[in-house]
Amino acid sequence: MGWFSKNTEGFFLSTTTPPGIGLDQYLGVVNGEAIIGANIFRDLFSSVRDVVGGRAGGYERALSGARDAALDDLIEAAKERGANGVIGIDFDYEVLGETNGMMMVAVSGTAVKLP
C-alpha cells in the first residue's frame, strides 16, 4: 500500500491511490530539496568504520536531517498551494560536486486537497 503518515499538518502518502480516502482536487507537483556537505572529521571516522565494520552514524544523522529538511520544504510548498495532503511521495539522493563533497536529497509528490 505504501508509506502513510497522518499528522496535524495533513496526509502524506507514497501511494498515488489512497484506499478509502477521497480526493477533492489535485493541485500539482511540489518539491523540496536539501544539500549537505561532507565533514572532514565525519569522513575520517566513517572511513575507519568502513575498515572495521559497523554503521557510519555521523553520515546517517546528517542524511536523516537533510531528508527531514527536504520533506519540510515539500510540506511548505504544498501548503502554499492550499493542499492538506501529498500523494506519490518519492525521495531521490544525488552526490554533487567535483570531489563528491556534497549530497542532495530531493523529494517530490502531488499536492492534493482532501475533504
Side-chain angles (χ1 to χ4, degrees), residues 15 23 33 53 62 71 83 91 99 101 110 112:
T15 182
L23 300 176
E33 296 88 17
L71 193 54
F91 286 90
T99 59
T110 302
V112 294

Side-chain angles (χ1 to χ4, degrees), residues 18-98:
I21 299 175
L23 300 176
D24 281 351
Q25 188 176 15
Y26 290 91
L27 302 172
V29 174
V30 288
N31 302 290
E33 296 88 17
I35 297 175
I36 57 172
N39 176 299
I40 189 166
F41 296 110
R42 188 170 53 224
D43 288 347
L44 177 64
F45 291 118
S46 291
S47 60
V48 169
R49 289 215 184 222
D50 287 343
V51 172
V52 299
R55 295 172 65 166
Y59 274 120
E60 288 176 352
R61 284 187 295 279
L63 190 56
S64 177
R67 189 173 46 245
D68 290 346
L71 193 54
D72 288 345
D73 284 353
L74 174 90
I75 292 168
E76 189 59 37
K79 285 180 177 180
E80 287 174 7
R81 291 188 183 213
N84 62 355
V86 179
I87 61 171
I89 293 174
D90 180 56
F91 286 90
D92 186 33
Y93 301 87
E94 295 291 331
V95 177
L96 304 174
E98 289 181 26

